[in-house]
Amino acid sequence: MFTVMLKAKLHMARVTHAVLNYEGSCAIDGELLDMSGIRENEQIQIYNVENGQRFTTYAIRAEEGSQVISINGAAAHLAGPGDRVIICSYAHYSEAELENHQPRLVYLQEGNVVSHTSNAIPVQLA
């Protein structure tokens, strides 16, 4: 049996571009891709914190160090420059893999600069 688990997350990324007339996808600064472990052409989920939109697309590499998060194609109707988004990827893990699984979490601050990384989401307090 396999379980779908969070693989990687870019938390509170700021959309820098929205390009409607593009084939589709989400361009992400190559350094952020590498740090998070999200691969080029990997399916990603994007959650728009500003308007609640949630959508699926795939990641493409933007120039390293550019801090670019570009929502392209039809998804450009769902998120625009300045919006805060959470970008997640998920993977299927076997029972054996689950024992040591830890997601790669990258937390961003203004300008899509990394504030810190983690492998565990904090427990939500009551």
Side-chain angles (χ1 to χ4, degrees):
M1 179 172 72
F2 289 89
T3 303
V4 178
M5 301 289 289
L6 179 65
K7 175 188 159 202
K9 175 171 81 163
L10 294 170
H11 189 74
M12 294 299 176
R14 188 71 71 168
V15 175
T16 60
H17 301 78
V19 184
L20 185 59
N21 294 314
Y22 192 85
E23 289 184 25
S25 69
C26 176
I28 300 171
D29 178 322
E31 290 177 1
L32 296 175
L33 283 180
D34 294 343
M35 186 176 292
S36 68
I38 297 172
R39 297 172 180 253
E40 290 181 74
N41 303 308
E42 182 174 352
Q43 179 177 301
I44 54 175
Q45 300 288 321
I46 300 179
Y47 312 122
N48 189 328
V49 176
E50 308 302 331
N51 63 24
Q53 293 287 341
R54 300 166 70 93
F55 53 96
T56 303
T57 188
Y58 60 95
I60 62 172
R61 183 172 291 271
E63 181 181 359
E64 279 76 5
S66 65
Q67 277 79 39
V68 163
I69 301 291
S70 183
I71 308 297
N72 300 323
H77 290 288
L78 305 176
D83 286 356
R84 292 174 300 153
V85 295
I86 299 168
I87 301 171
C88 295
S89 71
Y90 300 87
H92 294 86
Y93 295 91
S94 69
E95 289 298 317
E97 291 171 314
L98 286 175
E99 289 185 31
N100 296 314
H101 171 67
Q102 294 183 320
R104 289 169 122 176
L105 311 172
V106 179
Y107 294 85
L108 302 173
Q109 58 191 8
E110 204 58 42
N112 292 328
V113 173
V114 175
S115 66
H116 64 285
T117 61
S118 180
N119 293 109
I121 295 174
V123 173
Q124 182 172 335
L125 302 175

